[in-house]
Amino acid sequence: MTVPALLGLPSWEFFKPFIVTGLALGGVYAVSGVGMVVLYQTTGVLNLAFGAVGAMGAFIAWELNNNTSLPDWIGYLACIGFGGVVTLLYGVAFGPPLAGRDALTKAVATLGLALILLGAMSWIWTDKARSLDLPTTNSGFEVGGVMVNWTQVIAVGFGVVMTVVTIVFLRHTRTGTAMRALADDREITATLGVPVRRVEASAWLVSGLVSGAAGLLLANLVGLDAATLTFLVISALAATLIARLSSVALTLAAGFIVGLVNAMVTPILSISQYRDMTPFVLATIALLWVSRKDIRVTGLR
Amino acid sequence: MHFNPFTARERPATAALCAIAVALLLSVSACGGSSGDKAGATATPGDTKASTTGSAPKCGLGNGKKASGTPIKIGAIVTKQPGTDFTDITNTVKAYYDCVNANGGINGKPIEYLPQPEQTDPAQIASLAKKLAESEQVVAIVGNISLIECAVNHKYWESKGYSVVSAGIAPECYSTPNVAAVNMGPRYSSDGAVQTLIRKGVKKIAFVQSNVPGTGYIEAGPKLVAAAAKIPIASLKENVPIQDANSAALKAVQAAGEGGGVVLNFTPPEALKILQAAQRQGLQDRVKWGCSTPCNTDFLADALGSAWNDKLFVNAELNLTNADGPDSQLYRDVLKQYGPKIPLGSFSQMGFVMGAITTKALLTVKGDVTVESANAAIRAVKDFKTDILCSPWYYGDAPLHIPNNVDRTTTPKDGVMVQDEDCFQISDAEPDIAKVRQIEQQG
Amino acid sequence: MSLDRPARIHAGVIVALLAFLVLALPSMLSAYWVDVTTSVVIYAVVALGLGLLMGRVGLVSLGQIAILGLGAWVAARLTYATSLPYPIVLLLAGAMSAVLGTLVGLPALRLSGLFLALITLMLAGAITVVLTTTQFPNGGPGFLGHTDSSLGSNAIRRPAVASSDTGYFRYTTLVAVLMFGVVVLHLRSKAGRAWAAIRQSEASALAAGVNITRYKLWALALASFITGIAGGLLAGSVGKLYIVQFPISGNILLLAAVLMGGIYTLWGAVAAGLLIKLLPALLDNWGLPPDLLTILFGVGILQVLITAPEGIAVQLPRDLGRLAGLLSRPFQRNQAAREEAP
């Protein structure tokens, strides 16, 4: 009798493939989580509409790809572009009036954007089975008995690249430093002669492009469904919470861990139905750990 | 800033004005609420607009005369919320009734159809039933389609004497005396899919369904069918919306094992996620795949693509939308004329059948169409033949109704669903099905 | 505690309104609208809890609907398992919800408000997953009390004195009034002053010796308690409960409604209840799609946060007052002109 069998668990052979699916899921969480933390570090806003923006872009891409004769890459560009434009517009319109408020208020405001987009999506694209095709999903390779497609690899790579670029950019470039200063204290930064509006606008634009690209990937990997993609951020938030919104690299790692644990619980049939609680459980454990040390974390206000 | 509501200067005025606004609002809605919604329950493109091109389809009396006079009110309760929209069914019922109204109505009188949208809130669903029965005083309830309506309202309909004609989902749609459905429901449809896979020689079944209310009732069906065929079965559930379809597909395939079969019971978007995940992992050939009737839609076949040709066996409660046959042709004509924006598919077919059944029943009423006479006529429906259904539909006086218990199997082929197996009976390893077959033989 | 004149008028208006609601309104409305109004009252209580947290203490909880579901579960289970009188059932449901609400808030309280909001959102997700699997009690056996057989289940019972729909509406209204009263008492007590101090500035409250953690926990407990009782009322209203009534999106829509109604006055909670339950019914009546409501709430959040933090309950009367002032100005000018004319 093997150890897993003694514990009433399936054998190792059964678990192995879930490591791969877990990493794939982790890639999904990591992309969303990193995308949100990046914007938080550059503007002080936790964009809870991250998923909704990407979702709407994906629907637009679907519409262009399936109901017009335009080539597919135009649809993909439209998705990314839509993400950039909507996020930029939001940032320019609602960023300055809320700039002096606390991080919580700014995050709640993005919920407003999420609801508007969610309502619009449900209205325009009624509930049907849709699929956003990407050419990279059709080919892949085998790892540990499981097929991995190139879109999953791209998603993981995208998350890693975003993390590295963000860290380097924020720390070693002038604009990056300006962004960090801006997120920390807008008024003082303005008095230092930093072109506040321009820096902010570029932060919003880049974040928007990222959410558009993420939307494209996630719509393909998870499914083209308005509610699923919008509320995917809740699971991804666990990764950001574990990293306490302060470290992009930690968010990336946390995303993978959450995805892995979630998938690894799948074959344990007795608790398999509760596996969607994984993000909450892990985030709570992380927060308990932090408050045990009784550090007052103010983050970036 | 102090928050004592009693000392701030503006607060009394605030409170007074608020109170007046509230009272006014309630009174207005109380009065305005009984006028009903004439434009149909939705503002989606499903609303009907009669077009004048081509020969007009003939429904009901078929005499081309416009109906006039006091309308006969018929009601329905339909789920319409962000993410779940069943109004294709009620929109088609309305389209059929519009056709009837243009062809002499019910012995001259037009039908006024009042579908009420609900957002799966039991309190709302219960109160909509009261609105229809007590405020609108409808004579019949036709076209109900809701995740929980049967469960919430069936006792109320019984107490008021309504024999509801519905497209059922909840178990109470198939086990109570006052509801009869034109479809088969998730349990029996899953049975049909399991039967099909067993016929194709699977050694074990993994039954996977969405974790929504009623899973215990639904999974009991496949378990009985598999036990009767001496095939082992594993019953799994997935929370929807599914975020990790890869793991879900993998788990299902593992549970089915070598030479096994997976039967899915999900809404089309969720089923699509699992099927696509299975395909991307190369799992579509590892086991045989089956699905209950929601998968029977060209939308899904199109999204799946040719990789799934003849690999997915879907239990279809109704005939193909492109079938030959007078009713199928009339169905397409009615949609073209009175519901051009409603897509062809099982939902609109169900709406059409419900409209046709009740029109035929109401036309037999002699004298005034009242709650008593209308529902007596509906209960008297017997041997309603249509090429859209496998076997004749009936209502009758019985403790339970499962009139649609013979199904087909379809499979995707190059973007559309085509027939794989002709009509076959749902297994009477199911006790309620056995009961119903007995009632059929006696009556 | 003598009341000055505006407060007396205010109290008088409230009493008159309540009398109208409880005595006269039910007979004026059809059965459908009585049910809608009952829902409005229940959700006004939920909004009261969240409004208390947001307006008086400055905390945001995105898990109140999940706690509502939990309270409903507890109340339902108790009505089947025991024959305790309904008020006790409600109190127990409230107590259990208070315990959970406090436990969840504990780890996040020392961190910034954003973390509390996020962890409560995670809580909403977790509770939803659990309730989806356990489902709600409906008279079945075992701890979970759920049976899938349609024949073995029966409705959740109502209080003996309020078994009719109209009676239940009155019962619900009275319980709601009690909840509002509890909140008012708190606001005038030491807790209310502590909350006001915390809202103003945590640093100066700390300097003044206020135990911030304790009072924040108290607020969380009170908000969860009220919400749990609302859950109990919900259980009795239709007699059946489904997880689809407590979706995750509901938490966000509740937040929107509470913000739009106004978090700084108790009337805002009433306005929020109307937004959540009356507005959808009206939209259905007018044949408009429910997606419109989602969009409207999204716009509402943005509008409130940017332009009118006090919400409809204050903004509307103020606007109406201003409008009245504008309209009456020509009359005042005529009056003045006539007085000046010899």
Side-chain angles (χ1 to χ4, degrees):
Chain A
M1 281 269 252
T2 59
V3 170
L6 275 172
L7 291 169
L9 299 173
S11 73
W12 176 243
E13 275 305 307
F14 274 95
F15 272 107
K16 225 175 32 169
F18 288 99
I19 298 180
V20 180
T21 62
L23 285 174
L25 182 67
V28 165
Y29 291 154
V31 164
S32 301
V34 168
M36 287 193 282
V37 173
V38 163
L39 185 69
Y40 185 72
Q41 296 217 318
T42 54
T43 59
V45 179
L46 184 65
N47 185 9
L48 298 171
F50 185 84
V53 169
M56 186 135 188
F59 271 99
I60 292 177
W62 182 90
E63 189 72 31
L64 290 174
N65 288 357
N66 287 53
N67 291 349
T68 68
S69 49
L70 296 166
D72 282 352
W73 59 267
I74 291 196
Y76 305 145
L77 277 184
C79 173
I80 301 178
F82 175 82
V85 166
V86 164
T87 311
L88 177 66
L89 283 177
Y90 176 85
V92 164
F94 300 109
L98 294 171
R101 314 279 279 274
D102 57 309
L104 178 57
T105 309
K106 292 191 265 200
V108 170
T110 63
L111 281 178
L113 178 65
L115 285 181
I116 294 175
L117 292 174
L118 186 59
M121 276 190 282
S122 289
W123 197 351
I124 303 175
W125 291 283
T126 52
D127 174 37
K128 300 254 182 326
R130 292 187 187 81
S131 160
L132 183 67
D133 299 317
L134 289 176
T136 48
T137 316
N138 298 333
S139 51
F141 50 91
E142 201 183 297
V143 173
V146 178
M147 284 297 293
V148 174
N149 62 63
W150 287 108
T151 312
Q152 288 170 316
V153 175
I154 293 177
V156 170
F158 188 54
V160 172
V161 165
M162 253 204 296
T163 309
V164 170
V165 166
T166 309
I167 294 177
V168 167
F169 176 74
L170 286 182
R171 210 167 293 175
H172 298 295
T173 67
R174 223 178 28 178
T175 322
T177 317
M179 282 184 182
R180 278 192 301 144
L182 201 66
D184 204 23
D185 194 318
R186 200 168 187 266
E187 278 162 30
I188 296 184
T189 313
T191 66
L192 290 174
V194 174
V196 163
R197 299 222 159 185
R198 200 149 26 107
V199 172
E200 237 176 24
S202 37
W204 283 102
L205 179 65
V206 170
S207 165
L209 295 173
V210 167
S211 69
L216 207 58
L217 294 169
L218 295 178
N220 182 270
L221 292 174
V222 176
L224 185 54
D225 180 54
T228 311
L229 292 175
T230 304
F231 294 115
L232 194 59
V233 292
I234 298 183
S235 305
L237 276 174
T240 67
L241 271 181
I242 295 173
R244 272 144 47 218
L245 291 173
S246 56
S247 160
V248 183
L250 198 53
T251 310
L252 184 78
F256 281 111
I257 294 175
V258 172
L260 259 176
V261 174
N262 193 327
M264 295 291 279
V265 173
T266 312
I268 308 176
L269 292 178
S270 49
I271 53 173
S272 183
Q273 278 171 272
Y274 297 102
R275 65 190 179 105
D276 289 326
M277 287 174 73
T278 309
F280 168 66
V281 171
L282 291 180
T284 311
I285 294 175
L287 278 186
L288 278 173
W289 179 259
V290 166
S291 53
R292 252 189 68 233
K293 291 178 177 180
D294 207 16
I295 302 169
R296 183 170 191 83
V297 178
T298 52
L300 292 165
R301 202 175 339 159
Chain B
M1 224 201 267
H2 284 293
F3 300 107
N4 188 334
F6 284 118
T7 56
R9 268 173 309 158
E10 278 178 289
R11 305 306 190 232
T14 308
L17 280 164
C18 233
I20 295 170
V22 165
L24 272 175
L25 212 53
L26 281 173
S27 316
V28 159
S29 38
C31 304
S34 50
S35 59
D37 34 343
K38 309 276 187 295
T42 71
T44 56
D47 286 351
T48 58
K49 248 198 165 74
S51 65
T52 49
T53 57
S55 64
K58 301 231 179 286
C59 316
L61 290 173
N63 56 18
K65 280 197 264 204
K66 199 160 147 20
S68 60
T70 341
I72 297 171
K73 290 195 193 173
I74 297 184
I77 297 179
V78 54
T79 299
K80 181 177 167 60
Q81 63 174 7
T84 309
D85 185 349
F86 294 149
T87 48
D88 277 350
I89 294 184
T90 44
N91 286 341
T92 312
V93 177
K94 178 157 196 319
Y96 190 87
Y97 286 157
D98 283 345
C99 177
V100 168
N101 288 346
N103 279 283
I106 300 294
N107 298 326
K109 301 245 172 42
I111 298 177
E112 189 186 335
Y113 190 51
L114 302 167
Q116 307 295 313
E118 50 90 353
Q119 285 89 44
T120 56
D121 176 348
Q124 180 194 28
I125 293 175
S127 48
L128 283 174
K130 288 185 205 138
K131 180 178 177 193
L132 284 174
E134 295 169 29
S135 306
E136 297 288 348
Q137 295 178 335
V138 299
V139 301
I141 301 288
V142 175
N144 276 6
I145 167 70
S146 157
L147 297 168
I148 53 180
E149 193 272 332
C150 287
V152 175
N153 285 336
H154 74 95
K155 288 218 175 84
Y156 180 75
W157 296 132
E158 217 180 307
S159 71
K160 289 286 180 185
Y162 288 96
S163 296
V164 177
V165 178
S166 76
I169 301 181
E172 286 80 0
C173 305
Y174 301 97
S175 55
T176 56
N178 277 56
V179 184
V182 294
N183 63 338
M184 198 180 276
R187 171 166 166 157
Y188 302 119
S189 181
S190 303
D191 285 347
V194 169
Q195 284 172 253
T196 301
L197 285 194
I198 291 179
R199 268 199 292 279
K200 299 211 187 272
V202 297
K203 298 208 198 78
K204 183 177 175 191
I205 298 270
F207 177 62
V208 193
Q209 58 172 327
S210 53
N211 200 3
V212 292
T215 49
Y217 159 80
I218 295 176
E219 71 183 357
K223 281 188 183 163
L224 282 169
V225 172
K230 307 227 187 0
I231 306 261
I233 180 167
S235 181
L236 309 168
K237 305 188 212 349
E238 288 294 331
N239 289 334
V240 288
I242 298 177
Q243 286 183 4
D244 185 8
N246 290 319
S247 302
L250 201 53
K251 180 167 96 171
V253 171
Q254 274 185 355
E258 277 302 309
V262 174
V263 174
L264 301 174
N265 179 35
F266 288 92
T267 59
E270 301 297 326
L272 179 63
K273 286 181 194 170
I274 297 185
L275 292 169
Q276 279 192 323
Q279 178 196 328
R280 287 173 191 169
Q281 295 178 69
L283 298 172
Q284 81 250 49
D285 290 316
R286 209 103 65 107
V287 296
K288 295 229 183 336
W289 294 85
C291 186
S292 59
T293 211
C295 288
N296 184 29
T297 155
D298 285 344
F299 241 104
L300 183 72
D302 191 36
L304 282 175
S306 51
W308 281 93
N309 281 2
D310 297 312
K311 294 217 168 93
L312 177 67
F313 301 103
V314 180
N315 178 269
E317 301 165 326
L318 306 158
N319 205 344
L320 295 168
T321 54
N322 56 4
D324 291 320
D327 273 348
S328 296
Q329 185 59 45
L330 181 61
Y331 154 72
R332 290 188 289 270
D333 290 339
V334 166
L335 275 192
K336 208 186 332 186
Q337 179 87 351
Y338 296 98
K341 296 218 182 101
I342 306 174
L344 294 171
S346 299
F347 275 11
S348 49
Q349 282 176 304
M350 289 184 217
F352 175 84
V353 172
M354 289 193 274
I357 291 173
T358 49
T359 301
K360 182 160 176 207
L362 289 175
L363 282 172
T364 67
V365 172
K366 306 206 182 341
D368 284 336
V369 179
T370 62
V371 175
E372 290 77 26
S373 61
N375 287 292
I378 290 176
R379 273 195 300 279
V381 169
K382 211 174 154 134
D383 211 31
F384 182 91
K385 293 201 182 67
T386 165
D387 45 84
I388 297 182
L389 293 174
C390 268
S391 61
W393 201 84
Y394 59 92
Y395 207 115
D397 273 308
L400 76 166
H401 303 275
I402 313 175
N404 182 344
N405 55 53
V406 184
D407 273 3
R408 300 181 164 86
T409 303
T410 56
T411 188
K413 201 161 198 128
D414 299 322
V416 290
M417 300 300 282
V418 301
Q419 181 160 306
D420 181 78
E421 277 179 331
D422 208 345
C423 300
F424 65 91
Q425 287 193 328
I426 297 298
S427 161
D428 49 15
E430 282 272 23
D432 278 352
I433 296 272
K435 232 184 274 181
V436 160
R437 297 256 159 81
Q438 250 185 336
I439 296 175
E440 282 174 16
Q441 268 161 5
Q442 286 163 355
Chain C
M1 211 164 73
S2 67
L3 304 170
D4 52 344
R5 198 158 177 270
R8 258 186 279 144
I9 297 178
H10 191 216
V13 168
I14 294 179
V15 170
L17 179 67
L18 279 175
F20 172 70
L21 263 183
V22 170
L23 300 172
L25 195 61
S27 41
M28 291 167 52
L29 297 177
S30 66
Y32 173 66
W33 290 102
V34 168
D35 285 346
V36 172
T37 319
T38 312
S39 292
V40 168
V41 171
I42 293 177
Y43 278 84
V45 174
V46 181
L48 178 68
L50 185 56
L52 170 79
L53 279 178
M54 290 175 66
R56 314 293 170 156
V57 193
L59 299 173
V60 169
S61 161
L62 289 173
Q64 294 302 102
I65 294 292
I67 298 197
L68 181 69
L70 187 79
W73 191 97
V74 171
R77 195 70 196 87
L78 286 173
T79 58
Y80 287 116
T82 69
S83 45
L84 289 169
Y86 220 77
I88 310 283
V89 169
L90 290 180
L91 282 173
L92 285 173
M96 297 230 49
S97 310
V99 166
L100 182 74
T102 322
L103 281 178
V104 168
L106 261 173
L109 274 184
R110 291 175 202 264
L111 308 175
S112 78
L114 182 56
F115 284 93
L116 179 69
L118 294 180
I119 203 72
T120 52
L121 187 59
M122 310 255 101
L123 168 77
I127 292 186
T128 308
V129 173
V130 173
L131 285 176
T132 305
T133 309
T134 65
Q135 297 189 52
F136 284 89
N138 60 357
F143 175 69
L144 295 178
H146 180 86
T147 168
D148 273 313
S149 153
S150 54
L151 302 169
S153 65
N154 45 313
I156 300 170
R157 69 174 154 92
R158 283 183 173 174
V161 4
S163 49
S164 72
D165 285 340
T166 314
Y168 198 72
F169 164 69
R170 294 190 170 124
Y171 187 87
T172 305
T173 310
L174 286 172
V175 173
V177 168
L178 278 174
M179 292 300 104
F180 273 81
V182 165
V183 171
V184 168
L185 281 176
H186 267 90
L187 291 177
R188 296 166 133 244
S189 74
K190 195 165 76 160
R193 288 192 290 278
W195 292 336
I198 294 174
R199 240 208 128 266
Q200 188 114 11
S201 155
E202 276 195 38
S204 35
L206 196 59
V210 175
N211 186 336
I212 297 188
T213 311
R214 187 208 297 180
Y215 284 105
K216 279 188 178 176
L217 278 178
W218 192 333
L220 269 177
L222 181 62
S224 306
F225 175 74
I226 304 175
T227 309
I229 290 192
L233 291 172
L234 199 63
S237 70
V238 185
K240 290 181 208 274
L241 293 165
Y242 298 91
I243 186 61
V244 289
Q245 285 171 269
F246 309 103
I248 295 191
S249 55
N251 293 286
I252 302 179
L253 292 172
L254 175 71
L255 175 78
V258 167
L259 273 176
M260 290 196 287
I263 55 177
Y264 296 136
T265 72
L266 297 183
W267 288 105
V270 176
L274 290 168
L275 284 171
I276 301 177
K277 282 291 157 183
L278 183 61
L279 202 51
L282 290 176
L283 283 184
D284 279 348
N285 219 30
W286 298 328
L288 295 169
D291 303 311
L292 195 60
L293 199 75
T294 314
I295 297 178
L296 186 73
F297 276 24
V299 172
I301 291 183
L302 289 170
Q303 200 261 356
V304 167
L305 288 181
I306 292 174
T307 63
E310 293 146 319
I312 298 177
V314 173
Q315 190 76 354
L316 182 68
R318 198 191 288 159
D319 287 341
L320 286 176
R322 264 194 227 130
L323 186 65
L326 270 172
L327 289 173
S328 66
R329 217 177 291 156
F331 299 101
Q332 287 170 355
R333 242 182 264 133
N334 280 341
Q335 184 85 345
R338 241 179 282 134
E339 279 165 17
E340 277 175 29

